[in-house]
Amino acid sequence: MNNWNSQSGDVEWVDQVYQLLLEIARSSLSDIPRIPENITVKAIPLIQKVQSIQQRPDGQVFKSGSFSVNDHEWVDRVCQLLVELTSASLSEQPKMPENLAGRSLALADRAQKIKEDIEENGAGTPADEEDNSLQSPDALLSLLHHSLKTQRAKSYNPDAPEWQQVLSLLDVVQSIYKQIQN
């Protein structure tokens, strides 16, 4: 789905972090707030990936061709939260870190934006294309349509009428664009 050359694992890593952050937020907002089970098993590989990202010589966090997302602060905050949770879960008397739900949701929101940036700017662009090439509006509208359908499927309320309105409006925009082209 994306054409990330040397760092294709970055997209997967961001998605894994996103999923884990949502799990952390759900656990901390439940009737009986708790640290998610097996957090150490899930967090340690993600922390190890953070360390490899932080050691990249080019200074870019996530990149593909001419596009990059340089968000060291977010990566550092994710690492800090995962280390805190791992330490807390391994202690004799586990204690929930302060404002766990708020911190995880804020980090998950940024992870979602990074994923969207990656998909919008890194997907569908073959590696051998010129860096300055622009995609046609029709291709971009199709990409947006696909992305919205994906987000709708992942949504907590995929049957909300607003989703259908957005998709219908996008269909109208696509048909008007095609009429303008002809």
Side-chain angles (χ1 to χ4, degrees):
M1 183 148 140
N2 55 52
N3 268 335
W4 284 47
N5 299 330
S6 63
Q7 295 157 357
S8 60
D10 289 350
V11 178
E12 184 179 321
W13 178 81
V14 172
D15 190 51
Q16 289 172 351
V17 167
Y18 174 75
Q19 297 300 327
L20 183 58
L21 289 168
L22 290 180
E23 182 181 339
I24 292 166
R26 275 189 224 103
S27 294
S28 63
L29 290 172
S30 66
D31 292 338
I32 303 171
R34 60 181 168 73
I35 296 173
E37 293 181 27
N38 301 323
I39 189 69
T40 55
V41 173
K42 295 173 183 174
I44 288 175
L46 299 175
I47 293 169
Q48 289 170 338
K49 177 70 176 181
V50 166
Q51 292 168 345
S52 72
I53 289 171
Q54 291 171 331
Q55 294 172 357
R56 290 192 179 148
D58 59 3
Q60 299 298 327
V61 178
F62 311 108
K63 78 176 196 177
S64 172
S66 64
F67 170 73
S68 66
V69 176
N70 194 1
D71 200 336
H72 288 284
E73 180 185 351
W74 177 79
V75 172
D76 293 342
R77 289 176 53 207
V78 165
C79 185
Q80 178 185 0
L81 181 67
L82 295 178
V83 167
E84 276 182 54
L85 282 171
T86 302
S87 299
S89 71
L90 294 174
S91 70
E92 287 184 28
Q93 296 178 343
K95 180 183 173 193
M96 295 275 286
E98 191 173 318
N99 191 18
L100 183 59
R103 289 168 59 198
S104 349
L105 288 173
L107 291 171
D109 183 52
R110 180 63 188 139
Q112 182 65 30
K113 288 177 183 163
I114 289 171
K115 283 175 27 179
E116 289 169 0
D117 287 348
I118 290 169
E119 289 170 359
E120 289 173 12
N121 295 303
T125 308
D128 57 342
E129 264 188 21
E130 291 181 39
D131 291 340
N132 298 355
S133 66
L134 295 174
Q135 290 185 335
S136 72
D138 196 35
L140 292 172
L141 288 170
S142 294
L143 185 61
L144 177 60
H145 194 268
H146 175 73
S147 179
L148 285 171
K149 281 187 172 183
T150 303
Q151 293 305 313
R152 177 184 183 184
K154 293 178 182 178
S155 170
Y156 288 108
N157 190 4
D159 297 326
E162 292 83 358
W163 280 114
Q164 189 56 46
Q165 288 174 333
V166 167
L167 291 171
S168 296
L169 287 171
L170 187 56
D171 287 338
V172 169
V173 169
Q174 284 179 307
S175 67
I176 291 172
Y177 177 75
K178 286 179 183 177
Q179 288 176 359
I180 292 171
Q181 274 188 311
N182 294 333

